[in-house]
Amino acid sequence: MAYLYQTISDNLHREIFSGRYAPGDMLPSENELAAQYHTSRITVRKALQILENEALIRPQHGKGYLVLPPEFGRFYLEFHDQPPGSSSRYDEINVIPAAGEIARRLGMEPGRMLILIRRSFLFDGVPAACDEKFIPYVKGEPIIERELHYAQFPDVFTDKYVPRAILANMEIDAAAAPPEVCAVLGCEPGTVLLRVSRTIQTRSGARIGFSRRWCTGSQAVLTADSDWESERYYPIV
Amino acid sequence: MAYLYQTISDNLHREIFSGRYAPGDMLPSENELAAQYHTSRITVRKALQILENEALIRPQHGKGYLVLPPEFGRFYLEFHDQPPGSSSRYDEINVIPAAGEIARRLGMEPGRMLILIRRSFLFDGVPAACDEKFIPYVKGEPIIERELHYAQFPDVFTDKYVPRAILANMEIDAAAAPPEVCAVLGCEPGTVLLRVSRTIQTRSGARIGFSRRWCTGSQAVLTADSDWESERYYPIV
DNA sequence: AAGTGGTCTAGACCACTTC
DNA sequence: AAGTGGTCTAGACCACTTT
């Protein structure tokens, strides 16, 4: 049940996290580990490969395996089209002419038609976030129906485009919410809220969708971690 | 120069991103690929391992390699203690008693002493972000000197703690900035700004540092991507 | 020259899935 | 029973680093 490569990997993992091997240290060589565990070099290499994938070590040709320092500049963020624990409600579905910032974000000529889908998210019945999605209108495409059924924004496009050729990019800032959004969320016009803007585009650079989320209240906080596995560690508030 | 496993991996990668193999499809079996490339199963497995690490495929024991759909709920975020392209300035360094939210975030009794380090970041000479760091004061620890020299917040602790045992967690929201911060940034008292709160803690759950960043202006926008490699694709604004 | 990691081979046996 | 991926062996040769 316990595989040898897994045992070796776990042991080294523990020795790194306990400080037995510190950043800058060298691990024992492949041959030393193979001798130590009475196994072949290939099995040892498989164990080391796991640690390399976790960004704990880096092999250096001709020298050995270097233990790396942790990387605190990279964070991992979960962001779902439908916030966990919320219910949703459609506030408006419309076809509107592109204008101003939205036209620019989608790279469209002003005046071309856009599908607007505005949806709010309720926590315990209280609206705490509002999503606006803008999708270039192409006659005969059942994109609204797909949206209504699947709800996950980028997924709406995976029938039409090659799925792996689609990217999502995100910008996070604070800005004054437009009047329509304030009306939905029940806040004063012009209130500054957390804004999350997503652009959906193909890898060739074509912008195929844009969405904005306006967040108020404590459920709307975004969280990110220096480690995908670390969520369990910090029930702070 | 071009290794066989790399060639196989690149070819399959291209076939997945071009749609030749779509999510839900099965790749050719290891034996088929080995025959196709006139090589051993081990070399083929190495190529497939690369694609598995990129979350493009998942092996299914007894069945084959499944092509996975893209995951748009996960985002990658770069956040540096010193924003790229900015210069920094120390506005205040002080020892203060813990109180209110800060005490709670650090799990300290109110009244215990804290080191406060307030620093602002200037873009083209204009302050656009302000950092507040709070570190429990322990007599005789040269933490301020380390901060002044190394500047990277979590790194300050890696001498004292086992480096890999430290985690950084982040919360992002919008909130009214305190008067001291508004004074530094030159905005009206009570202005709502983008707030990034970081907690530094050990894997055993001890909170060892807390920082807050208040952001104004366009340089302060946070960006995240569904793909670590995708930054080059979206020069939008 | 000796030691290190990097690539690759030709097998073996096991566990799982499908027919 | 046949095909698939999962683990593991014993060896070979190459490229790189250190002494």
Side-chain angles (χ1 to χ4, degrees), chain B residues 4 11 42 51 61 98 129 144 150 176 189-190 213 222:
Chain B
L4 183 51
N11 287 348
I42 291 187
L51 302 176
H61 198 162
I144 294 176
Y150 297 111
R213 177 113 110 224
L222 297 182

Side-chain angles (χ1 to χ4, degrees), chain A residues 196-215:
Chain A
V196 181
S197 310
R198 278 181 299 167
T199 305
I200 315 300
Q201 60 183 182
T202 65
R203 290 192 122 89
S204 53
R207 277 98 85 184
I208 56 180
F210 179 69
S211 89
R212 267 197 313 219
R213 176 112 110 224
W214 301 90
C215 305

Side-chain angles (χ1 to χ4, degrees), chain A residues 105-117:
Chain A
R105 301 297 287 246
L106 283 168
M108 297 172 73
E109 294 166 32
R112 298 291 302 266
M113 299 314 277
L114 277 177
I115 298 168
L116 159 66
I117 300 170

Side-chain angles (χ1 to χ4, degrees), chain B residues 7-232:
Chain B
T7 303
I8 300 172
S9 179
D10 287 349
N11 287 348
L12 292 171
H13 191 283
R14 197 177 318 110
E15 291 178 306
I16 290 172
F17 275 75
S18 73
R20 166 74 181 81
Y21 297 116
D25 290 353
M26 286 294 190
L27 252 38
S29 75
E30 294 179 355
N31 287 324
E32 282 170 10
L33 289 168
Q36 180 181 335
Y37 286 95
H38 306 291
T39 183
S40 69
R41 222 185 111 203
I42 291 187
T43 299
V44 168
R45 281 179 67 80
K46 172 140 187 170
L48 292 166
Q49 177 74 55
I50 292 172
L51 302 176
E52 190 187 339
N53 290 342
E54 293 173 341
L56 297 181
I57 61 176
R58 183 174 59 214
Q60 297 189 315
H61 198 162
K63 294 177 71 178
Y65 284 86
L66 175 70
V67 178
L68 296 173
E71 176 53 84
F72 290 117
R74 285 149 117 76
F75 284 83
Y76 303 90
L77 172 66
E78 295 251 4
F79 184 86
H80 295 97
D81 200 66
Q82 166 108 27
S86 70
S87 58
S88 76
R89 178 181 73 192
Y90 285 93
D91 297 299
E92 184 181 353
I93 298 176
N94 230 327
V95 178
I96 60 169
E101 197 207 337
I102 308 297
R104 196 175 73 249
R105 301 297 287 243
L106 284 168
M108 297 172 72
E109 294 165 33
R112 300 288 304 266
M113 299 313 277
L114 278 177
I115 299 168
L116 159 67
I117 300 169
R118 181 150 41 227
R119 197 158 52 128
S120 53
F121 301 100
L122 295 78
F123 294 85
D124 297 323
V126 180
C130 179
D131 237 41
E132 298 178 303
K133 295 177 191 171
F134 305 91
I135 304 165
Y137 176 69
V138 179
K139 209 181 149 190
E141 290 206 346
I143 203 143
I144 294 176
E145 286 74 8
R146 264 187 280 163
E147 160 67 23
L148 295 175
H149 281 88
Y150 297 111
Q152 293 292 321
F153 187 34
D155 296 356
V156 172
F157 301 106
T158 53
D159 307 342
K160 189 183 171 200
Y161 296 91
V162 175
R164 303 239 61 129
I166 296 175
L167 285 174
N169 310 119
M170 182 188 283
E171 290 180 26
I172 305 163
D173 60 2
E180 306 85 2
V181 170
C182 289
V184 166
L185 295 177
C187 57
E188 290 294 311
T191 305
V192 175
L193 298 177
L194 184 69
R195 174 171 70 174
V196 181
S197 311
R198 276 181 301 167
T199 306
I200 315 300
Q201 61 183 183
T202 65
R203 289 192 123 88
S204 53
R207 277 98 86 183
I208 57 181
F210 180 69
S211 89
R212 267 197 312 219
R213 177 113 110 224
W214 302 90
C215 305
T216 177
S218 57
Q219 286 92 345
V221 176
L222 297 182
T223 60
D225 291 277
S226 63
D227 186 337
W228 267 124
E229 311 299 333
S230 69
E231 269 116 325
R232 57 203 140 142

Side-chain angles (χ1 to χ4, degrees), chain A residues 36-111:
Chain A
Q36 180 181 335
Y37 286 96
H38 306 290
T39 183
S40 69
R41 221 185 113 204
I42 291 188
T43 300
V44 168
R45 280 178 67 81
K46 171 138 188 172
L48 292 166
Q49 176 75 53
I50 292 172
L51 302 176
E52 189 187 341
N53 290 342
E54 293 172 341
L56 298 181
I57 61 176
R58 182 174 59 214
Q60 297 189 313
H61 200 164
K63 294 177 73 177
Y65 283 86
L66 176 70
V67 178
L68 296 173
E71 175 55 85
F72 290 117
R74 286 150 116 76
F75 284 84
Y76 303 90
L77 172 66
E78 295 251 4
F79 184 86
H80 295 98
D81 199 68
Q82 165 108 26
S86 70
S87 58
S88 76
R89 179 181 72 192
Y90 284 93
D91 296 300
E92 184 181 351
I93 299 176
N94 230 328
V95 177
I96 61 170
E101 197 206 336
I102 307 297
R104 197 174 72 250
R105 301 297 287 246
L106 283 168
M108 297 172 73
E109 294 166 32

